[in-house]
Amino acid sequence: MNVLIVHAHPEPHSFTAAMKDAAVATLSRAGHSVVVSDLYAQGFNPVASAADFRDRADPDYLVYALEQRHGYETGTLAPDIAAEIDKLKACDLLLLTFPLFWFSVPAILKGWIDRVLISGLTYGGKRFYDRGGLAGKNATLGLTLGARPHMFGADAIHGEIETMLRPLLRGTLYYTGMQVLPPFYGWHVPYVGHAARSQILEDWRRHLLHLEGATPLAFPRLSDFDERLYPKPRGGAG
Amino acid sequence: MNVLIVHAHPEPHSFTAAMKDAAVATLSRAGHSVVVSDLYAQGFNPVASAADFRDRADPDYLVYALEQRHGYETGTLAPDIAAEIDKLKACDLLLLTFPLFWFSVPAILKGWIDRVLISGLTYGGKRFYDRGGLAGKNATLGLTLGARPHMFGADAIHGEIETMLRPLLRGTLYYTGMQVLPPFYGWHVPYVGHAARSQILEDWRRHLLHLEGATPLAFPRLSDFDERLYPKPRGGAG
């Protein structure tokens, strides 16, 4: 398996970085090929802008998604985007490692999503969800957060964590056609000591080694919707 | 009312920018004081990093939220962050105008959230949701998207839009204590012509003029949870 880890944490010696390093070691030892995009270390620019396109379909008015298509077709995307796209296309598993910032990814990682998951390649028109351009690949998350598990759940203060993460899990990763494997949560990380952190790393390594057999999260399939994307009537024989 | 509009769109002549301009004109004419942070025009840096702190509580290991507290208390936050915090503190209504990127805000606006909604001022410990540091203020969104309304809803392909936006509406705006007023959606904007866009702007102006009487979105209150943030038993007398 070719694995692309996209990592985003402002502290190089963070526990999240230790999770990233453990993923590299564990997956490599298991025979996989691992590539890392360490966004802070790369000084990755997260701001989607006109500067992303060396040639413009419309030089006077920027429609970002249309210029992504044009830039990809003509090979004129900014080099930093093109390099990330090459890594993305080569991977079988995309793994995002990050600390949860505002129940979402840090801005530098949101910018990787905005700029690298380009229209035309990863989605377009009715090519999304199970028909997205990255179908056949898997994706998942390894994230750290301050909260404890009991703060998430049907009656919990923040509701279900996978609902809070819906725009990322379903609206981004699955949108591009990737199967989304169960995320791993490093709970309460800022507040726990060495022993608890060691246990989280141990659980993380075991989680990674079982990813290949894991059941993907269940999301809607386009075949349940008609051409205009209205839900098809349920049940009943043809 | 003092209004802070935080605007993020890479095209200065976009329809979203026209919505921002219409908001400035409409709210000013109605007697409100309006300040705009146009993040692309400002060249706002969205990357949370050690460079945000001119003095460090711990120079050797960056815990971003702890340094936010220290920087705020000692007046040593980076000047661009401090300037945005001043605008935020002065506002009664925070209005975010942006195009939906991956069912979320563009990275430059996520970075404004990461860097400006600092720990200590906007939340901390059990000061969140209705007890958050910005209680007493209102917040809302004016956003544009490619989708049509029928693509959202209980049985729709993308589910409820306010569920897709949960990390932003509940996990960010409400988390800081602000009441969240109903968002405004500029549907299908990239695909509609002049007449439809004029109608959206007209609806938007009317929406803005009725915001003050609007019912905030309903979210959990901390009084329904115990000291450890477990849900309190429901019903029954003392």
Side-chain angles (χ1 to χ4, degrees):
Chain A
M1 213 170 41
N2 291 318
V3 181
L4 172 59
I5 300 177
V6 181
H7 174 72
H9 198 294
E11 168 53 58
H13 302 105
S14 66
F15 181 76
T16 315
M19 282 179 54
K20 177 259 294 171
D21 293 341
V24 173
T26 301
L27 294 167
S28 298
R29 263 201 306 269
H32 305 300
S33 170
V34 183
V35 170
V36 177
S37 289
D38 183 336
L39 300 184
Y40 274 90
Q42 292 174 211
F44 187 78
N45 163 33
V47 181
S49 80
D52 293 346
F53 311 110
R54 292 186 286 124
D55 181 68
R56 290 277 291 274
D58 181 346
D60 297 322
Y61 187 89
L62 177 70
V63 178
Y64 194 76
L66 296 182
E67 297 294 344
Q68 286 183 313
R69 288 171 172 254
H70 175 76
Y72 184 63
E73 284 161 12
T74 58
T76 55
L77 290 170
D80 64 333
I81 298 175
E84 295 300 316
I85 289 173
D86 286 346
K87 296 182 207 172
L88 176 66
K89 288 169 71 173
C91 84
D92 304 300
L93 171 67
L94 172 66
L95 169 58
L96 308 182
T97 55
F98 60 94
L100 199 66
F101 279 14
W102 294 102
F103 297 101
S104 180
V105 293
I108 198 170
L109 179 49
K110 181 56 165 61
W112 187 91
I113 290 166
D114 291 348
R115 295 177 72 227
V116 176
L117 299 183
I118 58 168
S119 180
L121 173 66
T122 76
Y123 72 95
K126 302 230 179 70
R127 291 171 52 244
F128 67 95
Y129 283 177
D130 53 306
R131 294 181 190 160
L134 302 185
K137 300 183 190 298
N138 291 318
T140 193
L141 315 176
L143 64 92
T144 55
L145 68 172
R148 294 168 181 264
H150 74 266
M151 298 175 196
F152 291 93
D155 294 322
I157 186 134
H158 299 311
E160 297 286 1
I161 193 164
E162 287 176 7
T163 305
M164 202 58 111
L165 295 176
R166 183 180 287 190
L168 180 59
L169 297 171
R170 173 169 162 181
T172 303
L173 300 176
Y174 180 63
Y175 195 90
T176 68
M178 292 190 279
Q179 294 277 14
V180 183
L181 303 178
F184 179 88
Y185 303 102
W187 296 104
H188 210 44
V189 159
Y191 308 103
V192 301
H194 182 74
R197 289 183 170 207
S198 295
Q199 183 62 53
I200 295 172
L201 282 178
E202 194 51 45
D203 294 343
W204 168 235
R205 291 188 194 95
R206 192 175 315 115
H207 177 87
L208 288 169
L209 291 174
H210 291 84
L211 264 185
E212 281 186 283
T215 304
L217 305 191
F219 293 121
R221 301 183 65 84
L222 285 195
S223 55
D224 294 328
F225 295 83
D226 70 16
E227 278 304 297
R228 295 176 306 156
L229 298 175
Y230 283 90
K232 290 180 183 170
R234 291 189 187 171
Chain B
M1 212 169 44
N2 291 318
V3 181
L4 171 60
I5 300 177
V6 181
H7 174 73
H9 198 295
E11 168 53 57
H13 302 106
S14 67
F15 180 77
T16 315
M19 281 179 56
K20 177 258 295 171
D21 293 339
V24 173
T26 301
L27 294 168
S28 299
R29 264 199 306 270
H32 305 299
S33 172
V34 183
V35 169
V36 177
S37 289
D38 183 335
L39 300 183
Y40 274 91
Q42 291 172 213
F44 186 79
N45 163 32
V47 180
S49 80
D52 293 346
F53 311 110
R54 291 185 286 123
D55 181 67
R56 289 278 291 275
D58 181 347
D60 297 322
Y61 187 89
L62 178 70
V63 178
Y64 194 76
L66 295 183
E67 297 294 344
Q68 286 183 312
R69 287 171 173 255
H70 176 76
Y72 184 62
E73 284 160 12
T74 57
T76 54
L77 290 169
D80 65 332
I81 297 176
E84 294 301 315
I85 289 174
D86 287 345
K87 297 182 207 173
L88 176 67
K89 287 169 71 173
C91 84
D92 304 299
L93 171 67
L94 173 66
L95 169 57
L96 308 182
T97 57
F98 60 94
L100 199 66
F101 279 13
W102 295 103
F103 298 100
S104 180
V105 294
I108 198 170
L109 179 49
K110 181 56 166 61
W112 187 91
I113 291 166
D114 291 349
R115 297 177 72 228
V116 176
L117 298 183
I118 57 168
S119 179
L121 173 65
T122 77
Y123 72 95
K126 301 229 180 70
R127 292 171 52 243
F128 67 95
Y129 284 178
D130 52 308
R131 295 181 191 161
L134 302 184
K137 300 182 191 296
N138 290 319
T140 193
L141 315 176
L143 64 92
T144 55
L145 67 173
R148 295 167 180 264
H150 74 267
M151 298 175 196
F152 291 93
D155 294 323
I157 186 133
H158 298 312
E160 298 285 1
I161 192 163
E162 287 176 8
T163 305
M164 202 57 111
L165 295 176
R166 182 179 288 190
L168 180 59
L169 297 172
R170 173 170 161 180
T172 303
L173 299 176
Y174 180 63
Y175 195 89
T176 68
M178 293 189 279
Q179 294 277 13
V180 183
L181 303 179
F184 179 89
Y185 303 102
W187 296 104
H188 211 43
V189 159
Y191 308 104
V192 301
H194 182 73
R197 289 183 169 208
S198 295
Q199 183 62 54
I200 295 172
L201 282 178
E202 195 50 45
D203 295 343
W204 169 235
R205 290 188 195 97
R206 191 174 315 114
H207 177 87
L208 289 169
L209 291 174
H210 291 85
L211 264 186
E212 280 187 283
T215 304
L217 305 190
F219 292 120
R221 302 182 65 83
L222 285 196
S223 54
D224 294 329
F225 296 83
D226 71 17
E227 279 304 298
R228 295 177 306 156
L229 299 175
Y230 282 90
K232 290 180 183 171
R234 291 189 186 170

